[in-house]
Amino acid sequence: MTAYHFIAASEAFLCEEEPLEEVLRERVRHYGEQGKEIDFWLLRQPAFLSAPELAAVAATVPQPAAAVVSTDEKFITFLKLRL
């Protein structure tokens, strides 16, 4: 089973206040050079936050929310430190 990792915050913070677009664009470029498939996604108003298992997390994320989801735990850790 594939494990997914995520970082979630307000949509305004992730998409407007922080240079997330630049970080993701650079990651796409790097993956292209390495011949690696994209393993991350930017989700606006992610539905998975409404899952009962994530109720505690969802309560701390301002709405409307956005999230970056990836199968690469190190990338998500990098985003948490960078943003």
Side-chain angles (χ1 to χ4, degrees):
M1 185 161 104
T2 303
Y4 293 94
H5 309 276
F6 70 93
I7 181 173
S10 74
E11 187 173 356
F13 177 77
L14 277 183
C15 300
E16 296 169 20
E17 296 174 22
E18 288 295 317
L20 180 63
E21 180 182 351
E22 179 183 337
V23 171
L24 296 180
R25 190 173 36 244
E26 174 60 25
R27 186 104 174 148
V28 167
R29 184 195 61 75
H30 176 71
Y31 276 24
E33 290 175 357
Q34 302 298 316
K36 187 174 176 183
E37 288 188 41
I38 302 296
D39 64 353
F40 60 90
W41 304 268
L42 172 63
L43 304 174
R44 293 174 186 255
Q45 300 179 356
F48 70 84
L49 287 178
S50 62
E53 302 86 14
L54 296 175
V57 173
T60 65
V61 179
Q63 297 297 320
V68 177
V69 179
S70 178
T71 57
D72 185 348
E73 184 177 14
K74 290 180 181 180
F75 178 55
I76 295 300
T77 300
F78 164 77
L79 286 178
K80 288 177 183 179
L81 295 172
R82 172 66 176 84
L83 304 174

